[in-house]
Amino acid sequence: MKQELRTDHTYNMHLINTTHCDKTGYPILAATNAIPDNLTGFNYVLTNHKNHKTVPPGEAVHFFLDDYQFERIWQKPEAYINMLKKYDYVLTPDFSLYSDMPAPMQAWNTYRSRAIGAYWQHEGLNVIPTASWSTPESYTYCFNGLPEHSTIAISTIGCINNLHAQTIWHDGVNALIKAKHPTTLIIYGNYLEHNYPNNTSVIYYANHNTQRFNNLKEE
């Protein structure tokens, strides 16, 4: 029995199980109309917490970072609940879906993002679902569990100077809109021109890491 419980905790099955999932096996996230004033990276959340920094209203936590900076969220999800509750909104973790990553690994990272988001919603956090994708083959699972007619977060990081990545991004945005009909897309990173439907609101949020780097170069 102890071994079984240890396995359940390894896969966070004590937090999320099949009763929280759709018919494809992905945890279901509730829709939201949340629109944050600002996005703060999880890496700065840890620093701000350590320094007892006051969180301004309208602040959201994002995970558009290298995976190693927030893998701890999956390893010990309960440990960060009270810290995240200080923020008005929390985006779901953006575990990577690289095009050269085996499909089962991409599907697993999609599951993990939904599972953590569903757990946070159960704990009372105002969760904004994050969508990510790779090649068109990923469309068969990468939008599973996302709500329809909701605010959804995406990112342009890694696309600006790569035409191939931009093509993948544009195709994925179209697939996301077709599948989930988001009311609002909140986009973290540099602006990319795209032909959005008239009934989809689009809000860009600056990549503060890029801003800080540019400011250092100018000094």
Side-chain angles (χ1 to χ4, degrees):
M1 180 62 71
K2 280 187 176 180
Q3 187 66 35
E4 182 178 342
L5 289 175
R6 189 177 302 157
T7 299
D8 285 352
H9 277 71
T10 298
Y11 295 107
N12 287 329
M13 291 179 63
H14 62 300
L15 304 178
I16 295 293
N17 55 52
T18 54
T19 63
H20 306 99
C21 299
D22 62 17
K23 62 182 180 181
T24 67
Y26 287 82
I28 301 169
L29 299 181
T32 179
N33 60 1
I35 300 177
D37 293 330
N38 187 51
L39 304 186
T40 296
F42 178 68
N43 50 340
Y44 291 103
V45 169
L46 299 175
T47 302
N48 293 343
H49 177 75
K50 183 178 180 180
N51 295 331
H52 305 287
K53 187 175 179 180
T54 301
V55 178
E59 197 85 0
V61 180
H62 78 79
F63 296 84
F64 296 122
L65 309 163
D66 290 329
D67 290 27
Y68 77 89
Q69 297 195 66
F70 58 88
E71 178 65 26
R72 66 188 77 191
I73 285 288
W74 176 257
Q75 299 298 331
K76 296 181 178 180
E78 299 100 326
Y80 299 95
I81 284 292
N82 290 333
M83 188 185 306
L84 294 173
K85 282 185 176 180
K86 296 179 180 179
Y87 292 78
D88 284 346
Y89 314 103
V90 181
L91 278 59
T92 55
D94 185 49
F95 294 111
S96 295
L97 273 67
Y98 296 123
S99 58
D100 59 351
M101 182 183 287
M105 292 179 66
Q106 295 185 49
W108 171 237
N109 276 350
T110 300
Y111 172 87
R112 294 202 297 162
S113 177
R114 304 292 185 272
I116 291 296
Y119 165 61
W120 285 343
Q121 286 184 332
H122 178 74
E123 290 295 315
L125 276 68
N126 195 345
V127 174
I128 299 175
T130 300
S132 57
W133 55 88
S134 59
T135 60
E137 286 75 18
S138 71
Y139 302 164
T140 59
Y141 54 82
C142 68
F143 304 133
N144 291 355
L146 292 176
E148 295 186 14
H149 309 293
S150 173
T151 298
I152 292 180
I154 60 176
S155 171
T156 62
I157 293 176
C159 298
I160 302 304
N161 297 317
N162 187 320
L163 292 178
H164 178 64
Q166 287 183 27
T167 298
I168 291 175
W169 186 85
H170 287 296
D171 288 346
V173 170
N174 289 334
L176 170 63
I177 292 172
K178 182 178 180 180
K180 297 300 176 178
H181 315 288
T183 54
T184 302
L185 284 176
I186 63 175
I187 306 178
Y188 183 75
N190 292 333
Y191 177 79
L192 277 179
E193 185 71 36
H194 189 83
N195 185 24
Y196 299 99
N198 292 332
N199 60 347
T200 301
S201 176
V202 179
I203 305 173
Y204 272 84
Y205 294 80
N207 181 346
H208 296 305
N209 291 331
T210 301
Q211 283 186 333
R212 290 186 179 94
F213 178 71
N214 290 337
N215 289 338
L216 286 172
K217 290 198 298 183
E218 292 170 1
E219 291 178 357

